Amino acid sequence: MAPGLYGHAVAFGSREDQIAIASEHRFGEDAGERFVISGEVGVYMESGTRPGRHGLTYRQAGVDIDAADALISRIAPAARATRRPGASADLGGFGGLFDLKAAGFKDPILVASTDGVGTKLRIAIEARHFSTIGQDLVAMCVNDIVVQGAEPLFFLDYYATGKLALEDAGVVIEGIARACRDCGCALIGGETAEMPGLYAPGDFDMAGFAVGAVERERVLPKASAMHAGDLLVGVASSGLHSNGFSLVRRILSDAALSCDSPAPFARDTTLGPALLAPTRLYVKSTLAAIRATNVKGLAHITGGGITENLPRILPEGLDAEIDLAAWKRQPVFAWLARAGGVDEQEMLRTFNCGIGLIAVVALREADRCIAAFRDAGESASPIGTLVAGEGAPRVRYKGAA
């Protein structure tokens, strides 16, 4: 649920569907009796039976409309707090609206992204720790948008479960709203699908959808402007972010560890909370760096690590040379490599290994770029350069972590 859209609904869809189903199953007792579902008022046209005697109800089939309405009421204040220029906080429409002119754009290109949090969600479910997974969802989408030079404008979420647990869903979606607010992105809509029989008890899944905009002449990357000798600025991650968790879970299983086990790589905490450190939101810091200097390209380091993601923004004939000694990895990465016997190349193409975002800038711009990231609260430093290559771009590593 969010400003400007119909909010979270059960799986069957619109209020008209709800009324039709209510009429079909004849919840009322007398002909002409009034009924109210989700704020809509209707009148029964024929007599019927009370629920539980001869007629079925949607709740008996496993879908609780009242729970969905209660969720909407709970999360409405958090969603309204995400309003921004271009997005109102009005409820009740069938679609979310955004006014690009009110947001100050003149000749914008829209940039869209969708993502989930993968099997990190399984860790959250097993640990019963849901307060940060919403930030992961938002970050995985908006970080992909900002590296194109775009400002994230609005977000929509999809939450699917077999039986809606109001408290769990509320915590998750409130986390989504907080992350949207923190990066200036309006939460303008969402869907909660309660689908009996499709999910194991206590399980759920979620997906996010974000749209941003950038003025046409500012779209990134600017591959034609990149040259050998350009500097690569690495921005630190908070840990694993939201990638590689299938391998993480395999390592935990092989080591007979659970979310309640003490974290071998962190003091005074268990594995669940330690592994669930939320993905960093790079929106404000990256937009500040773009404003401060001539950034030529940005890469969000997600699944595939630096090895697979950095070449996506480079032109043919240029490679990236990364100095692995240029930054200090968080202890979780060394523990995973050791506990799972994962070799260095596999680590680098599975995890972010401590670098969540990389910027390409001219050498003369590097200090200003690093300062902009640091002033915005990030840890940033030079981690390599662009070098002449042959054919498709690739990453070359030197040094040791």
Side-chain angles (χ1 to χ4, degrees):
M1 197 291 307
L5 197 53
Y6 52 82
H8 283 72
V10 289
F12 60 78
S14 69
R15 290 188 175 93
E16 286 79 6
D17 293 347
Q18 298 174 28
I19 295 167
I21 291 170
S23 300
E24 179 182 348
H25 291 295
R26 294 185 290 231
F27 293 165
E29 183 173 27
D30 299 319
E33 182 180 353
R34 293 165 63 83
F35 63 93
V36 179
I37 295 181
S38 298
E40 300 283 359
V41 180
V43 180
Y44 292 116
M45 302 307 294
E46 57 183 80
S47 62
T49 59
R50 291 182 182 278
R53 289 186 181 176
H54 305 293
L56 288 172
T57 68
Y58 210 28
R59 180 178 292 177
Q60 289 171 326
V63 178
D64 191 339
I65 298 170
D66 293 334
D69 288 344
L71 177 62
I72 292 171
S73 298
R74 169 171 175 165
I75 63 178
R80 280 194 293 270
T82 69
R83 67 181 67 180
R84 53 152 294 155
S88 72
D90 297 331
L91 297 173
F94 288 96
L97 304 178
F98 194 92
D99 186 343
L100 284 168
K101 184 178 289 186
F105 289 92
K106 298 177 181 179
D107 184 26
I109 298 291
L110 295 179
V111 183
S113 177
T114 183
D115 213 333
V117 298
T119 57
K120 185 174 187 177
L121 188 55
R122 172 51 56 191
I123 301 289
I125 291 170
E126 292 178 358
R128 301 289 304 160
H129 185 93
F130 301 129
S131 61
T132 58
I133 202 75
Q135 177 170 323
D136 287 308
L137 184 66
V138 174
M140 292 302 291
C141 295
V142 298
N143 288 347
D144 278 353
I145 285 176
V146 77
V147 297
Q148 304 267 182
E151 174 190 353
L153 301 176
F154 59 87
F155 190 88
L156 301 97
D157 70 276
Y158 176 78
Y159 183 101
T161 187
K163 181 175 177 57
L164 184 61
L166 180 60
E167 178 63 23
D168 294 350
V171 171
V172 170
I173 299 167
E174 286 166 351
I176 290 171
R178 283 194 303 273
C180 285
R181 182 194 63 207
D182 289 346
C183 63
C185 184
L187 179 59
I188 67 167
E191 169 74 358
T192 299
E194 189 172 30
M195 299 181 286
L198 284 185
Y199 293 87
D203 281 0
F204 64 91
D205 198 6
M206 57 187 198
F209 313 87
V211 174
V214 56
E215 296 293 354
R216 190 177 303 270
E217 72 277 6
R218 297 178 182 173
V219 174
L220 295 177
K222 299 176 182 176
S224 62
M226 296 180 187
H227 305 287
D230 285 345
L231 196 75
L232 300 173
V233 174
V235 183
S237 68
S238 59
L240 294 171
H241 283 184
S242 299
N243 299 103
F245 274 85
S246 293
L247 179 54
V248 171
R249 291 173 54 239
R250 174 60 185 271
I251 292 170
L252 296 186
S253 176
D254 288 352
L257 295 171
S258 72
C259 291
D260 294 328
S261 301
F265 52 86
R267 292 182 179 179
D268 303 323
T269 189
T270 57
L271 274 168
L275 294 172
L276 290 169
T279 308
R280 290 196 67 81
L281 294 161
Y282 292 118
V283 171
K284 290 187 175 179
S285 60
T286 300
L287 291 175
I290 290 172
R291 288 190 296 267
T293 188
N294 181 27
V295 174
K296 298 181 181 184
L298 294 154
H300 183 204
I301 309 304
T302 55
I306 296 174
T307 304
E308 300 290 336
N309 285 287
L310 186 51
R312 295 167 65 180
I313 67 169
L314 303 180
E316 286 201 2
L318 282 179
D319 291 344
E321 186 174 79
I322 300 290
D323 182 359
L324 295 174
W327 75 95
K328 185 176 181 180
R329 298 181 192 180
Q330 295 90 337
V332 62
F333 297 108
W335 178 77
L336 287 169
R338 184 171 60 253
V342 185
D343 69 37
E344 180 72 343
Q345 292 305 309
E346 187 69 11
M347 290 292 295
L348 289 165
R349 70 188 302 267
T350 302
F351 302 109
N352 65 61
C353 291
I355 296 294
L357 183 141
I358 296 175
V360 181
V361 293
L363 184 59
R364 65 179 179 277
E365 305 267 7
D367 288 344
R368 281 192 295 164
C369 180
I370 292 169
F373 276 113
R374 289 178 177 173
D375 289 347
E378 304 291 356
S379 175
S381 60
I383 63 168
T385 58
L386 295 187
V387 296
E390 295 182 1
R394 63 187 182 91
V395 177
R396 310 178 194 176
Y397 295 105
K398 67 177 185 178

